[in-house]
Amino acid sequence: MNRNKTTNVLIVGVGGQGILLASEVVSQAALLAGLDVKKSEIHGMSQRGGTVNSHVRYGEKVLSPIIPQGQVDVLVALEKLEALRWSGYLAPDGAIVVNDFRLDPVSVATGKIPYTENAIDLLYSNGRRVLVVDGVARALQAGDLRSMNVVLLGALSRLLEFPAELWEKALEAQVKEKFIELNRRAFALGRDAADSLR
């Protein structure tokens, strides 16, 4: 683990997809690793189907919670159009973990703009590293569709340097006890999904 480098993780999606929980788990994992962590989130219109984003930065000493454009190490998107929308924040050697899931934003649902059907194809342009995860199937396999965010966290965990045990502790610290086993299954299925795509 390079403690001198600040690692930048940007988690995006649509309101209600569990982005804030996901960013809390990443932050908690970094704290458990003894690192400095800064986090910021914007969820102004999230209850009306608007976008939500959360910046998580960690390292030996982090000065700002906001990730500058072009410096995201890993972009995690719970919805594929949101991945495309935020891909400009990615560093040249950054990676994208994207849920192969469509959730129409308000502008599409109201017919103002069309949905970009080839969003994932566009993500692969410019030689980007893209990990596409079928979060719906994996979450249902875990036992609850609402665990999609944790499936994506499992996939993300393969790209960051924290050991699996630390991730599990971070997850346990953020979810209610009655949901821990469900989320452990979802996390493991996300890790398996990342392995199958390597």
Side-chain angles (χ1 to χ4, degrees):
M1 181 183 309
N2 182 357
R3 298 178 74 93
N4 294 323
K5 178 189 180 304
T6 297
T7 299
N8 299 312
V9 179
L10 178 60
I11 305 173
V12 301
V14 177
Q17 287 193 290
I19 289 137
L20 303 184
L21 173 66
S23 67
E24 285 293 331
V25 172
V26 175
S27 298
Q28 184 70 34
L31 285 171
L32 289 171
L35 298 169
D36 187 30
V37 181
K38 298 283 188 293
K39 182 171 74 77
S40 175
E41 54 204 35
I42 295 176
H43 44 92
M45 296 296 288
S46 62
Q47 292 180 349
R48 295 186 178 186
T51 64
V52 178
N53 66 78
S54 183
H55 299 229
V56 180
R57 308 185 78 200
Y58 62 84
E60 186 64 30
K61 180 68 179 167
V62 181
L63 300 177
S64 168
I66 305 296
I67 305 170
Q69 192 160 1
Q71 294 187 23
V72 168
D73 296 298
V74 184
L75 170 63
V76 180
L78 278 80
E79 199 280 331
K80 53 189 176 184
L81 187 59
E82 292 304 315
L84 187 59
R85 188 187 322 264
W86 289 91
S87 61
Y89 275 76
L90 206 62
D93 61 344
I96 302 171
V97 177
V98 57
N99 187 12
D100 190 8
F101 179 69
R102 175 179 174 164
L103 184 59
D104 290 350
V106 173
S107 56
V108 172
T110 57
K112 289 184 179 174
I113 61 170
Y115 192 87
T116 304
E117 298 293 341
N118 62 341
I120 288 181
D121 292 337
L122 293 171
L123 290 174
Y124 280 109
S125 64
N126 299 322
R128 291 179 175 135
R129 294 185 300 148
V130 181
L131 175 61
V132 181
V133 178
D134 186 348
V136 171
R138 302 274 177 167
L140 290 173
Q141 187 179 351
D144 193 319
L145 183 61
R146 292 174 293 182
S147 65
M148 244 185 335
N149 58 341
V150 178
V151 170
L152 272 286
L153 277 178
L156 169 67
S157 74
R158 292 296 196 187
L159 301 177
L160 301 180
E161 60 273 12
F162 307 128
E165 305 78 42
L166 195 141
W167 280 102
E168 288 190 20
K169 285 182 183 175
L171 189 58
E172 290 171 10
Q174 297 299 321
V175 299
K176 292 181 181 174
E177 187 174 344
K178 65 182 179 181
F179 298 119
I180 287 176
E181 282 309 314
L182 165 70
N183 283 288
R184 279 185 183 147
R185 288 193 301 273
F187 186 80
L189 288 163
R191 287 179 66 86
D192 290 348
D195 284 344
S196 67
L197 297 169
R198 285 184 173 181

